[in-house]
Amino acid sequence: MNDNERNGLQEIIDKAISDIARTEGDSFELDKMNLAEFSRRTGLSRSR
């Protein structure tokens, strides 16, 4: 993975986290974020 791909991936992750935080409001906690929702929004999943 080159730097451009890595930067693009980081932008996708940052936007998804920002959108989820905006939706949840003051109750948002990054360490308790819904990973299924994160995966749905980004199309990313954990490796097996």
Side-chain angles (χ1 to χ4, degrees), residues 5 8 11 19:
E5 290 173 327
E11 288 178 22
D19 290 347

Side-chain angles (χ1 to χ4, degrees), residues 10-34:
Q10 188 63 51
E11 288 178 22
I12 292 169
I13 292 169
D14 292 344
K15 182 177 181 333
I17 291 172
S18 175
D19 290 347
I20 293 170
R22 191 175 319 111
T23 301
E24 293 188 16
D26 292 338
S27 65
F28 177 74
E29 294 182 42
L30 184 59
D31 60 333
K32 295 181 181 178
M33 183 173 63
N34 184 329

